[in-house]
Amino acid sequence: MQRKKTPPKSGLKGWSGRFSEPVDELVKRYTASVEFDRRLAGFDIQGSLAHARMLHTCGVLSAQDVSDIERGLADIAAEIERDEFDWSIDQEDVHLNIEKRLTELVGDAGKRLHTGRSRNDQVATDIRLYLRDATDRILALIRTLQENLVTLAEQHVDTLMPGFTHLQVAQPVSFAHHLMAYYEMTLRDAQRFSECRNRVNQLPLGAAALAGTTFPIDREQVARELGFDGVCSNSLDAVSDRDFAIEFCADAALLMMHLSRLSEELIVWMSPRFGFIELADRFCTGSSIMPQKKNPDVPELVRGKTGRINGHLVALLTLMKAQPLAYNKDNQEDKEPLFDTADTVIATLRIYADLFTGVKVNKDAMRAAAAQGFATATDLADYLVKKGLPFREAHEAVARAVRLASEKGVDLAELSLGELQQFSTLVGEDALDQLSLDGALAARNHTGGTAPEQVRRAIALARKTLSA
Ligand code: ARG
């Protein structure tokens, strides 16, 4: 005869009623998410309060129940705040932990809170509240970084540096113009995050497990109380959609990609071979063996952390690929990549915003580097074109002049008029003006160009946008 297993008693999980034996220890640990989703507690409580109040408005919960729930959830928030809350993997996740404690504190009202709701719409709501908050913090930090970039740019409109292509000296640019390129990139990043926020800010609650609920609920009331712009229109989609999380990670990956490019430049610029800038000591570290070293660890780590952010994006895309409707437990795996993405982006932005207040610029090294790479060769070619030579021929003539200068170990500007005229008889006295670095800079005077006048305009526009 088969031994009858004793059904689990109270104190077991919120769903244990239909099971005849307790969950295996390893399975319990494998399926629990409380270690990482407990950071959603504040949002979970917010969502529960709105849900309970709505159930009362709709006549499902009594006034007494709601006030018990409010009191209990306030106590729980305080326990969590004081780090006295007893988190347990016996209760699987943040939702069941809080619900169990609520029931301990206020009795039956706690057991009624889950009426017309499922953890499926509950967790989707929590993540959206969390992401909305993270997005707002990221947007504020991008703005601070931009302000500090623009402030540095303002001081360096007339600071001339070599602009590069292929990391070879190409044409002179204003250092401010170079910095403002990153302003533009981060501006697009901010736009993307705010557009993503619109899609995050829709309420899934009310979808219940997947099909909605039989209770007369008012989802709009909950949306209003929680500051959502609207409610998710389809219950199946509401509980299973994680597009918004993927989108957030994609926006984060683009932002980090931009910051990794900036990092690479900082690293190159501060290498003694370039010597363009110095970072404040507080952002650098030394070597345990080489006493002379001042290493750019922060930019190197930003560059490195970009890899994990890309990884998180791919993890979420892969997580969602081919999932049937509606909720699947796979989705529990969305949290760690998402949290780490937000944490990493926030920490990176905080540190970079501060870093740009302590950049020391070596203008002489920048100018000297620009003077070494025949950076005005295009200007001389343009000069010949203006005298009537077709561009391809002008290009060829200047290339030969560059070869001569290179053989002599001098810059184009150091060749005599006679020497230049060997390559084209069109070269006149006035050609020498074209070869000055400052002349080359000032000549690119159109929207988006590097002429100081244009850079000042771009900075003023950025200031206006930032103060709006
Ligand atoms: N911890 C779960 C998650 O993060 C909550 C939802 C669980 N729902 C369920 N039916 N097992 O996705």
Side-chain angles (χ1 to χ4, degrees):
M1 203 181 85
Q2 244 208 323
R3 203 160 59 92
K4 223 175 126 196
K5 290 192 180 116
T6 351
K9 295 263 161 49
S10 62
L12 288 172
K13 294 197 191 199
W15 42 252
S16 55
R18 83 168 307 287
F19 290 80
S20 58
E21 61 175 354
V23 167
D24 179 270
E25 246 336 284
L26 183 56
V27 171
K28 190 159 82 182
R29 267 184 280 136
Y30 194 76
T31 55
S33 56
V34 63
E35 289 305 334
F36 53 84
D37 69 14
R38 51 194 265 195
R39 66 190 286 171
L40 293 174
F43 302 113
D44 196 69
I45 290 172
Q46 236 185 303
S48 289
L49 285 170
H51 178 67
R53 287 172 189 145
M54 178 277 289
L55 287 180
H56 172 56
T57 314
C58 298
V60 180
L61 286 188
S62 69
Q64 185 59 51
D65 280 340
V66 175
S67 84
D68 287 350
I69 288 169
E70 286 172 339
R71 175 172 51 83
L73 288 175
D75 288 351
I76 290 171
E79 286 176 6
I80 294 171
E81 176 72 33
R82 292 195 305 268
D83 208 12
E84 284 168 6
F85 190 90
D86 185 17
W87 297 103
S88 162
I89 68 157
D90 287 337
Q91 300 309 317
E92 197 174 311
D93 57 22
V94 60
H95 324 291
L96 294 177
N97 267 269
I98 290 178
E99 193 185 319
K100 168 156 182 281
R101 179 69 183 137
L102 181 65
T103 301
E104 279 169 14
L105 288 171
V106 305
D108 282 353
K111 295 183 191 163
R112 292 196 183 103
L113 171 63
H114 212 52
T115 310
R117 178 177 85 168
S118 152
R119 275 183 299 154
N120 299 350
D121 57 345
Q122 189 178 356
V123 72
T125 303
D126 291 5
I127 311 171
R128 283 173 186 262
L129 288 170
Y130 162 82
L131 263 192
R132 185 178 70 189
D133 180 66
T135 303
D136 288 343
R137 290 167 63 190
I138 287 170
L139 285 169
L141 284 166
I142 292 178
R143 182 175 283 245
T144 309
L145 171 64
Q146 288 177 321
E147 274 160 1
N148 295 346
L149 270 175
V150 171
T151 300
L152 186 62
E154 265 161 355
Q155 297 156 23
H156 291 286
V157 174
D158 298 300
T159 302
L160 193 144
M161 73 179 282
F164 296 90
T165 60
H166 314 274
L167 204 57
Q168 314 275 329
V169 170
Q171 291 170 353
V173 294
S174 145
F175 180 49
H177 193 52
H178 198 121
L179 292 171
M180 290 303 287
Y182 286 97
Y183 167 80
E184 293 295 329
M185 290 179 234
T186 50
L187 186 64
R188 294 194 295 275
D189 289 322
Q191 287 164 353
R192 271 187 287 269
F193 275 110
S194 16
E195 285 156 18
C196 174
R197 189 191 192 281
N198 295 334
R199 281 178 285 276
V200 166
N201 208 26
Q202 297 290 321
L203 175 77
L205 210 65
L210 75 164
T213 172
T214 58
F215 293 95
I217 57 170
D218 180 352
R219 299 182 65 205
E220 279 73 17
Q221 178 185 332
V222 179
R224 270 196 307 277
E225 173 158 353
L226 294 175
F228 282 103
D229 297 326
V231 303
C232 300
S233 308
N234 178 296
S235 64
L236 294 163
D237 184 45
V239 287
S240 61
D241 168 33
R242 294 293 182 274
D243 294 3
F244 62 90
I246 296 174
E247 199 178 334
F248 176 87
C249 287
D251 296 350
L254 279 166
L255 169 65
M256 288 299 289
M257 178 272 286
H258 291 149
L259 298 183
S260 80
R261 297 182 71 182
L262 181 55
S263 302
E264 177 71 5
E265 308 220 84
L266 295 174
I267 293 163
V268 169
W269 291 345
M270 75 176 278
S271 105
R273 295 275 163 217
F274 276 68
F276 286 3
I277 60 159
E278 250 189 81
L279 298 186
D281 284 352
R282 66 181 189 282
F283 294 105
C284 299
T285 56
S287 156
S288 57
I289 175 167
M290 297 168 283
Q292 83 281 17
K293 296 277 266 189
K294 181 173 162 186
N295 294 331
D297 288 37
V298 167
E300 285 171 317
L301 268 175
V302 171
R303 194 174 59 181
K305 283 174 190 293
T306 304
R308 71 201 263 173
I309 300 305
N310 292 348
H312 295 328
L313 170 61
V314 174
L316 287 195
L317 281 166
T318 314
L319 177 72
M320 295 312 294
K321 175 187 172 294
Q323 263 197 52
L325 295 182
Y327 176 86
N328 300 282
K329 185 76 165 181
D330 312 39
N331 287 5
Q332 184 165 288
E333 287 289 308
D334 63 358
K335 288 171 203 62
E336 287 162 294
L338 201 55
F339 294 160
D340 189 64
T341 298
D343 290 346
T344 305
V345 166
I346 287 170
T348 302
L349 285 169
R350 284 181 58 189
I351 220 159
Y352 259 12
D354 189 21
L355 183 137
F356 278 93
T357 62
V359 175
K360 251 178 56 198
V361 177
N362 185 346
K363 297 185 189 186
D364 295 341
M366 285 185 176
R367 182 173 280 271
Q372 273 168 19
F374 308 107
T376 53
T378 320
D379 297 75
L380 184 57
D382 287 353
Y383 165 86
L384 292 174
V385 169
K386 285 169 200 160
K387 296 261 168 172
L389 205 61
F391 182 78
R392 277 294 154 231
E393 279 175 42
H395 184 282
E396 174 63 22
V398 177
R400 284 191 283 122
V402 166
R403 195 157 80 204
L404 173 68
S406 176
E407 277 161 14
K408 294 184 71 177
V410 299
D411 189 52
L412 273 181
E414 291 167 280
L415 293 178
S416 69
L417 187 57
E419 283 171 315
L420 287 172
Q421 281 168 338
Q422 289 170 40
F423 304 104
S424 170
T425 49
L426 292 171
V427 177
E429 284 279 356
D430 54 345
L432 298 174
D433 304 339
Q434 313 293 315
L435 295 174
S436 93
L437 293 170
D438 296 286
L441 201 69
R444 288 165 169 79
N445 195 4
H446 52 77
T447 307
T450 190
E453 191 186 326
Q454 295 297 331
V455 177
R456 271 189 201 94
R457 251 185 66 194
I459 289 175
L461 223 85
R463 276 277 179 235
K464 222 174 109 192
T465 305
L466 286 171
S467 63

